[in-house]
Amino acid sequence: MVERKLLVLFGSQTGTAQDTAERIGREAKRRHFQCRVEALDSYDVANLINELLVVFVCSTTGQGDPPDNMKMFWRFLFRKNLPPSSLCQLDYAVLGLGDSSYPKFNFVAKKLHKRVLQLGGNPLLPVALGDDQHDLGPDAVVDPWLLALWDKILALYPLPPGLEIISPDVRLPPKYTLQYLPEDSPQPDGGPVEPGAQLQVAAAGAVPCELRPFAARLLCNRRLTAHQHFQDVRLIDLDVTGSGITFSAGDVVMIQPQNFPEDVQQFCQLLRLDPDRRFVLKPTEPGTSLPALLPQPCTIRYLVTHYLDISCVPRRSFFELLSYFSTNELEREKLQEFSSAQGQEELYSYCNRPRRTTLEALWDFPHTTCAIPAEYLLDLIPRIRPRAFSIASSMMAHPDRLQILVAVVRYKTRLSKPRRGLCSTWLASLNPEQGDVRVPLWVKKGGMKFPADPDTPVIMIGPGTGVAPFRAAIQERVAQGCGGNYLFFGCRHKSKDFYWQAEWEELVAKGVLTLFTAFSRDQEEKVYVQHRIRENSKLLWELLSNGNTRVYLAG
């Protein structure tokens, strides 16, 4: 009897592809497959030649780029020296998630499908191209494609005799079991580990990364916009001494935010959880790894504060799993509607349009919420994802420091409570005068690279907070003695949101920067950076026709 094994590999930037991959994993278990679901870069790609059945789920980011957690896999797969028959025993299918408003719609999925085919793979189906722009979202393509996929797979690997597909009415076991420790069990090393200390220990001697962030000390959190200005924009200054972190202009810092204490308290009250209770996790199936960012043992408070994304907008899979715990008929019917293909428009109106959070959705289903078993929390709620910020300083100007410009996200929808960005609001709330305040972070290469040749002129167009990476570039270029720095900056009012005004004016006075500003609301006629570009078209054309000038734009 052939082993019924399925591997689901995903490349995901925002979590949608991972959510879809986990859905395929659940559907595989209902069909009695041994199934592993892994990020592409967590998988040892050299083993791909031994696999018989793989489903790839991947999104496309930026200008047709692969997501961060499949970049190593991508480089390996496109090596020129791979024999064309490498994957001749592989049956595969590719599911792409994209947005047709972008020119390179589902580029990664199409290219992956083609490459595996070139290497001898046997496609079970044409590549699926899920589209965010469809009225029903990617599910409009995903749902029928998955039905066709299971027909193909079950024709190759029929159900073992005497077994039937597990009904959708039956709840699958959780990924982990959660075992509470006795309340009087000793604390490790005499007390709970502070998250900051824990992160720093993990980062010692290794370059910080997502699994080992560095806990940087907050030096300064200063509002740069006038207090009467509608937008709160902060300069966040962090100390990275001893981290081993290095960066250049154009690089990006990833920050791991956390939930607010009042939200954590509400969540624990709703689910009737004791925040100080300690537990250990055990995988339900052998071969499942434990969540890398959770200590063992762990408290409920740490889990909810640092790991569970209770402020994200819940997905369809959240309502599907939630419906299994419901003891209330009305609530169960509504949850089942939200998790059905027909209920997606209704779900969009309930969740996505008003940006309702997971915590708020739990409030709306109180009978169900208080019946959620704690061990299903990690299946129900995704982990908090890191947020990316352009680095706004150069190590040449500020050694061992890393600065970012943060616009605090706050806006209204039809819900009475204003929506707020998790990471920006958390950063804005931190006060370095209240002791040793730490921010978990690591650095990634950015998409912008500035020329090494000091004689290459650089035109930078950075309206609003888009100016952040150009501050790093200008500091770096001035320190290296590079001339030819041209900056177009735009904001609403010179007196309210002209970030780093004194710094720019000092560089202009020294003759190392040419600055063009547009303050859109300081006069009757609105003036934007494009007007200043048009006014200075002669100068710009002279620079551009010289052949090696670079133009950068950040918004």
Side-chain angles (χ1 to χ4, degrees), residues 527-543:
V527 177
Y528 297 110
V529 285
Q530 57 267 37
H531 296 112
R532 296 291 182 236
I533 289 169
R534 198 174 290 125
E535 286 165 18
N536 293 280
S537 55
K538 190 168 177 290
L539 166 70
L540 292 182
W541 181 245
E542 275 170 21
L543 288 167

Side-chain angles (χ1 to χ4, degrees), residues 134 273-274 308 511:
H134 192 284
L273 295 166
D274 173 0
L308 299 180

Side-chain angles (χ1 to χ4, degrees), residues 317-392:
S317 58
F318 168 86
F319 295 97
E320 186 187 330
L321 182 51
L322 203 54
S323 68
Y324 288 106
F325 311 127
S326 196
T327 50
N328 177 287
E329 201 175 330
L330 271 176
E331 288 187 8
R332 186 168 57 249
E333 279 175 12
K334 195 69 190 167
L335 291 164
Q336 285 170 342
E337 183 191 343
F338 282 161
S339 53
S340 69
Q342 302 75 31
Q344 289 317 287
E345 222 161 303
E346 181 87 6
L347 178 60
Y348 189 87
S349 298
Y350 171 71
C351 262
N352 302 64
R353 196 168 284 123
R355 311 302 295 165
R356 195 183 301 272
T357 68
T358 295
L359 180 59
E360 288 168 330
L362 291 170
W363 272 109
D364 285 348
F365 296 91
H367 299 92
T368 309
T369 296
C370 66
I372 298 170
E375 55 225 27
Y376 276 95
L377 287 176
L378 284 101
D379 295 79
L380 188 65
I381 301 171
R383 73 175 179 86
I384 299 172
R385 294 198 162 261
R387 293 350 190 224
F389 293 89
S390 292
I391 297 173

Side-chain angles (χ1 to χ4, degrees), residues 287-536:
T288 305
S289 53
L290 289 168
L293 294 164
L294 276 184
Q296 290 264 46
C298 183
T299 62
I300 293 288
R301 190 190 311 278
Y302 187 95
L303 171 73
V304 184
T305 303
H306 297 275
Y307 196 84
L308 299 180
D309 196 353
I310 58 176
S311 75
C312 72
V313 176
R315 300 175 192 272
R316 175 178 170 181
S317 58
F318 168 86
F319 295 97
E320 186 187 330
L321 182 51
L322 203 54
S323 68
Y324 288 106
F325 311 127
S326 196
T327 50
N328 177 287
E329 201 175 330
L330 271 176
E331 288 187 8
R332 186 168 57 249
E333 279 175 12
K334 195 69 190 167
L335 291 164
Q336 285 170 342
E337 183 191 343
F338 282 161
S339 53
S340 69
Q342 302 75 31
Q344 289 317 287
E345 222 161 303
E346 181 87 6
L347 178 60
Y348 189 87
S349 298
Y350 171 71
C351 262
N352 302 64
R353 196 168 284 123
R355 311 302 295 165
R356 195 183 301 272
T357 68
T358 295
L359 180 59
E360 288 168 330
L362 291 170
W363 272 109
D364 285 348
F365 296 91
H367 299 92
T368 309
T369 296
C370 66
I372 298 170
E375 55 225 27
Y376 276 95
L377 287 176
L378 284 101
D379 295 79
L380 188 65
I381 301 171
R383 73 175 179 86
I384 299 172
R385 294 198 162 261
R387 293 350 190 224
F389 293 89
S390 292
I391 297 173
S393 59
S394 166
M395 290 192 124
M396 293 181 178
H398 302 280
D400 292 324
R401 305 265 285 277
L402 188 156
Q403 298 179 346
I404 54 174
L405 192 60
V406 178
V408 182
V409 177
R410 188 183 163 93
Y411 58 95
K412 283 287 291 175
T413 66
R414 63 180 170 79
L415 301 178
S416 58
K417 197 176 168 189
R419 308 292 88 194
R420 56 185 189 176
L422 175 66
C423 191
S424 61
T425 311
W426 174 66
L427 285 170
S429 74
L430 301 177
N431 181 356
E433 289 166 16
Q434 289 179 345
D436 187 16
V437 178
R438 300 276 173 168
V439 175
L441 56 79
W442 64 98
V443 164
K444 275 181 10 184
K445 280 278 149 236
M448 280 195 282
K449 289 189 173 47
F450 291 87
D453 176 6
D455 297 326
T456 302
V458 171
I459 299 165
M460 294 161 277
I461 305 159
T465 54
V467 78
F470 301 139
R471 180 175 182 251
I474 290 164
Q475 285 181 355
E476 199 163 282
R477 286 173 60 79
V478 168
Q480 291 166 338
C482 303
N485 301 310
Y486 298 86
L487 174 65
F488 286 83
F489 172 74
C491 63
R492 290 196 175 199
H493 303 279
K494 184 175 182 176
S495 62
K496 291 181 183 174
D497 54 338
F498 187 1
Y499 314 126
W500 299 305
Q501 178 182 355
E503 201 171 306
W504 302 135
E505 287 171 352
E506 189 184 328
L507 293 172
V508 170
K510 286 180 178 169
V512 291
L513 174 68
T514 305
L515 176 69
F516 303 94
T517 53
F519 306 112
S520 63
R521 307 298 200 276
D522 278 354
Q523 59 287 306
E524 210 80 338
E525 288 280 297
K526 288 183 182 160
V527 177
Y528 297 110
V529 285
Q530 57 267 37
H531 296 112
R532 296 291 182 236
I533 289 169
R534 198 174 290 125
E535 286 165 18
N536 293 280

Side-chain angles (χ1 to χ4, degrees), residues 103-272:
K104 294 204 168 177
F105 171 55
N106 265 315
F107 181 76
V108 170
K110 292 172 190 169
K111 204 170 169 185
L112 174 62
H113 188 269
K114 197 172 161 188
R115 180 59 174 155
V116 178
L117 189 61
Q118 280 175 352
L119 295 172
N122 168 46
L124 296 172
L125 287 175
V127 58
L129 306 175
D131 184 7
D132 252 353
Q133 291 297 318
H134 192 284
D135 287 347
L136 299 175
D139 287 344
V141 167
V142 174
D143 289 355
W145 186 84
L146 281 179
L147 289 173
L149 179 71
W150 289 121
D151 285 347
K152 293 274 188 188
I153 289 176
L154 287 175
L156 290 171
Y157 298 90
L159 284 164
L163 285 181
E164 288 185 6
I165 295 174
I166 299 169
S167 157
D169 301 334
V170 176
R171 181 169 90 196
L172 292 171
K175 200 185 284 184
Y176 307 103
T177 57
L178 184 146
Q179 295 172 359
Y180 282 119
L181 299 179
E183 292 190 29
D184 54 358
S185 64
Q187 296 272 4
D189 298 330
V193 181
E194 276 304 299
Q198 188 177 27
L199 290 167
Q200 257 191 319
V201 172
V207 176
C209 61
E210 185 160 6
L211 297 180
R212 287 188 309 274
F214 177 74
R217 189 163 61 89
L218 177 66
L219 298 172
C220 170
N221 171 3
R222 183 160 59 89
R223 180 168 174 148
L224 294 190
T225 44
H227 280 281
Q228 67 273 34
H229 188 59
F230 78 100
Q231 181 145 48
D232 180 357
V233 177
R234 304 298 179 103
L235 174 67
I236 304 285
D237 191 357
L238 299 151
D239 181 358
V240 292
T241 307
S243 64
I245 286 174
T246 57
F247 54 86
S248 309
D251 286 350
V252 165
V253 65
M254 305 299 293
I255 289 181
Q256 186 66 50
Q258 61 188 56
N259 289 312
F260 292 94
E262 60 271 27
D263 289 349
V264 173
Q265 190 182 346
Q266 269 189 23
F267 180 87
C268 290
Q269 282 171 352
L270 268 176
L271 276 83
R272 301 178 183 173

